[in-house]
Amino acid sequence: MTQQTETQAAAGAVIIPVTLFQQNCMLLWDETTRQAVVIDPGGDVPLILDAIAKANVNVEAIWLTHGHIDHVGGAAELRDALKVEIVGPHADDKFLCDAVVESGERFGMTGARNFTPDRWLKEGDSVSVGGLHFDILHCPGHSPGSVVYYNKAMKFAHVGDVLFAGSVGRTDLPGGSHETLIRSITQKLLPLGDDVGFICGHGPGSSIGQERLTNPFLTGEA
Ligand SMILES: [Zn+2]
Ligand SMILES: [Zn+2]
């Protein structure tokens, strides 16, 4: 009874690969309340709406990890379709959120629109959906305003494009810095603990421990 005073909410989730970048758009919900969020709706909004209908959940918000087109290209359209608020990323990615149209045109993505989040996020903030609570870690380097969503109770993080299974985010785009990125990973993500699993913006997820031991960008082999 003593350690069960805070009941752990059960989570459900599906990944919807979107855009030509096969970005891992995530529909995440509290199994008890069916309250849900969509993380990084990069595009292909009809696919996302389909997944929401199949899961039979109530989406309350859109959460963004950073401002790159493959993560935010469908944000304005989905916001208007669902009448929900957009939360994140950090305000340092405002220049990207203001340039979604140009980015979309560069990659032939139609329908991508600029937007202003209802709430910018910063280090130390927290966000919730149902009984699922996430702490916000500001992890610049891939983009200046990248944030990570960390759920301590579930030992789970959504790291956007900061860290990948066997790799790290690219840093050759505007505002990128490899040195800053590695500092974000070593100072904010590795301390979360080896048993923390994560999903990232592209490809399979991994765990902090697996990456600490084998990721060439962290072991000094890259
Ligand atoms: Zn990115
Ligand atoms: Zn990406």
Side-chain angles (χ1 to χ4, degrees):
M1 181 252 175
T2 44
Q3 70 235 55
Q4 295 297 333
T5 42
E6 194 182 334
T7 310
Q8 170 53 33
V14 289
I15 300 294
I16 311 135
V18 295
T19 78
L20 67 162
F21 301 98
Q22 290 294 287
Q23 195 274 120
N24 290 328
C25 173
M26 186 182 202
L27 175 63
L28 172 73
W29 65 88
D30 178 323
E31 286 282 14
T32 308
T33 67
R34 312 303 289 176
Q35 291 165 289
V37 291
V38 175
I39 304 178
D40 286 359
D44 297 326
V45 170
L47 292 182
I48 300 170
L49 292 172
D50 215 43
I52 294 168
K54 279 203 188 89
N56 191 25
V57 293
N58 296 312
V59 173
E60 294 187 330
I62 293 164
W63 292 355
L64 302 177
T65 63
H66 64 297
H68 285 154
I69 180 73
D70 51 326
H71 297 255
V72 307
E77 187 182 341
L78 190 66
R79 174 199 60 198
D80 292 352
L82 299 175
K83 308 274 186 285
V84 297
E85 61 175 13
I86 298 177
V87 177
H90 187 283
D92 287 354
D93 270 7
K94 183 178 188 300
F95 74 106
L96 294 169
C97 303
D98 289 341
V100 178
V101 173
E102 292 102 295
S103 305
E105 280 166 0
R106 212 173 310 143
F107 297 108
M109 288 167 66
T110 53
R113 283 157 50 200
N114 298 352
F115 65 94
T116 301
D118 297 277
R119 178 185 170 195
W120 297 105
L121 293 174
K122 59 183 189 311
E123 178 79 17
D125 279 351
S126 58
V127 292
S128 296
V129 54
L132 310 176
H133 308 294
F134 289 80
D135 295 324
I136 301 302
L137 308 170
H138 181 207
C139 293
H142 171 65
S143 75
S146 286
V147 294
V148 164
Y149 294 78
Y150 170 53
N151 184 304
K152 194 176 180 186
M154 292 194 295
K155 296 185 184 297
F156 166 78
H158 191 312
V159 303
D161 285 357
V162 173
L163 178 64
F164 295 109
S167 189
V168 297
R170 59 188 288 185
T171 51
D172 57 331
L173 296 167
S177 160
H178 186 73
E179 193 192 344
T180 303
L181 179 68
I182 296 300
R183 202 181 315 130
S184 288
I185 295 169
T186 55
Q187 294 185 355
K188 294 193 179 168
L189 298 189
L190 298 191
L192 296 179
D194 284 354
D195 55 349
V196 169
F198 67 82
I199 176 182
C200 39
H202 307 267
S206 182
S207 71
I208 295 296
Q210 175 72 16
E211 296 315 302
R212 190 175 59 76
L213 289 172
T214 64
N215 189 311
F217 293 91
L218 303 178
T219 57
E221 288 156 53

